[in-house]
Amino acid sequence: MMKRSHTLLVGTLALAALVFAGCGGGSDKSAALDEKEVTVGVTSGPHQEILEEVAKQAEKDGLTIKIKAFDDYNTPNTALNDGDLDANSYQTIPFLDQQVKDKGYEIEQAFETVAFPLGAYSEKVKNLDELKDGDKVGVPNDPTNEYRALKLLEDAGVLTLKEGVAVQATKNDVEDNPKNIEIIELEASQIPSQLGELTAAVINTNFAFSAGLTINDDSIFHEPLVDNPYPNVFVVRSSNKEDAVVKEIEKYYHSDETKEFIKEKYKGSVVPAF
């Protein structure tokens, strides 16, 4: 009886091993990506819309790009690193570098995609030179974007940042503020609704665009539209950076069709970084 029970137990464990081996969660993260079908994570909005255009082009050549949309900035990197995604497309290089540093992810950029130029907007002044003593200026309160906003104000001659400040800079890192403007740190998504209460505000392009504001028609100062210093990137696991399918996706993303789609749809609020 003992021998028969032992045989049954071994058989049961072997069957269980076969079942779990067939589950998707055990995929080999170091294996080359499938050249016929890949899953790419994006954030909802422009990144998703652009990748849908890319997917249409790829489909004609037999490559299926399955798109998974997220509403936060952290999950897509975790999912990619863990093997639940083949790639993602939504983040800037400083954000990616910080995530890799903080969390030890083995992921890296494959190619540049688009840029979202940051802009200053106002219902009260037509130029940042018109700011007066004590005027309130809104900026996003999250680390990378607050630094970009403060750098934009520095480039406009409104203030000077302390030498050597990094992407985690806040209003406490302002060295010189000759007009004594009051910097108001706000949740990025809420700034458009608060614009009327401020003299001016620096607004993330996606939130400005959602509020009907565009860089070319409404901003009073903005980051460069050409060679923007904060391009977004297409990201893969480090082991897949040179995979053939990644090069194929880059070809479709950098095509004339994709570039025209971006220019027509976003009117300068999102610009090709290629």
Side-chain angles (χ1 to χ4, degrees), residues 33-38 40 51 53-65 110-111 234 236 240-255 258:
L33 297 177
D34 191 330
E35 295 184 16
K36 293 296 182 181
E37 181 177 295
V38 293
V40 182
L51 197 61
E53 168 62 26
V54 172
K56 289 178 184 176
Q57 298 174 38
E59 188 69 35
K60 295 176 183 178
D61 291 336
L63 170 60
T64 298
I65 300 176
F111 57 86
F234 191 88
V236 296
N240 298 127
K241 185 175 180 180
E242 300 301 326
D243 284 5
V245 71
V246 176
K247 304 299 182 185
E248 280 297 298
I249 295 172
E250 180 178 9
K251 180 184 72 175
Y252 298 121
Y253 208 115
H254 290 179
S255 70
T258 302

Side-chain angles (χ1 to χ4, degrees), residues 14-274:
L15 178 60
L18 285 172
V19 170
F20 282 107
C23 294
S27 59
D28 183 359
K29 294 188 291 182
S30 64
L33 297 177
D34 191 330
E35 295 184 16
K36 293 296 182 181
E37 181 177 295
V38 293
T39 301
V40 182
V42 295
T43 46
S44 302
H47 284 299
Q48 180 177 356
E49 294 164 351
I50 295 167
L51 197 61
E52 287 171 348
E53 168 62 26
V54 172
K56 289 178 184 176
Q57 298 174 38
E59 188 69 35
K60 295 176 183 178
D61 291 336
L63 170 60
T64 298
I65 300 176
K66 298 173 68 175
I67 300 170
K68 186 172 182 179
F70 295 85
D71 292 321
D72 74 283
Y73 292 149
N74 294 303
T75 307
N77 277 341
T78 302
L80 174 59
N81 187 73
D82 291 349
D84 297 321
L85 295 173
D86 296 315
N88 67 44
S89 179
Y90 76 100
Q91 61 195 308
T92 61
I93 297 171
F95 182 83
L96 171 63
D97 289 346
Q98 195 66 45
Q99 290 253 301
V100 169
K101 179 181 177 181
D102 292 344
K103 301 182 180 182
Y105 291 150
E106 295 182 356
I107 60 177
E108 59 185 279
Q109 69 181 83
F111 57 86
E112 294 181 354
T113 56
V114 293
F116 291 67
L118 204 61
Y121 300 82
S122 176
E123 296 177 359
K124 299 177 181 178
V125 297
K126 297 186 181 300
N127 193 298
L128 290 174
D129 290 341
E130 299 175 23
L131 290 174
K132 298 180 176 61
D133 189 87
D135 278 347
K136 294 179 171 61
V137 177
V139 298
N141 64 3
D142 54 291
T144 302
N145 284 313
E146 182 164 2
Y147 168 74
R148 284 180 67 182
L150 293 172
K151 189 70 174 67
L152 183 74
L153 294 173
E154 181 178 56
D155 291 343
V158 175
L159 52 78
T160 303
L161 292 170
K162 295 176 182 176
E163 187 175 352
V165 295
V167 294
Q168 293 88 0
T170 70
K171 65 180 182 180
N172 296 324
D173 294 296
V174 173
E175 178 73 35
D176 189 31
N177 184 1
K179 292 189 176 181
N180 195 35
I181 64 168
E182 184 178 354
I183 299 171
I184 310 296
E185 297 168 319
L186 298 166
E187 167 63 38
S189 63
Q190 299 302 312
I191 298 180
S193 64
Q194 299 295 315
L195 186 57
E197 306 299 318
L198 303 163
T199 307
V202 181
I203 306 177
N204 290 75
T205 297
N206 55 325
F207 296 126
F209 194 73
S210 297
L213 302 171
T214 65
I215 285 285
N216 287 324
D217 294 337
D218 303 296
S219 70
I220 58 175
F221 194 81
H222 58 72
E223 289 177 344
L225 303 186
V226 178
D227 296 328
N228 185 276
Y230 302 100
N232 286 255
V233 287
F234 191 88
V235 178
V236 296
R237 286 183 293 278
S238 299
S239 59
N240 298 127
K241 185 175 180 180
E242 300 301 326
D243 284 5
V245 71
V246 176
K247 304 299 182 185
E248 280 297 298
I249 295 172
E250 180 178 9
K251 180 184 72 175
Y252 298 121
Y253 208 115
H254 290 179
S255 70
D256 290 339
E257 292 91 336
T258 302
K259 182 179 288 188
E260 190 61 29
F261 173 85
I262 294 167
K263 289 181 177 179
E264 286 296 316
K265 187 169 183 65
Y266 303 111
K267 311 298 182 185
S269 291
V270 181
V271 295
F274 50 88

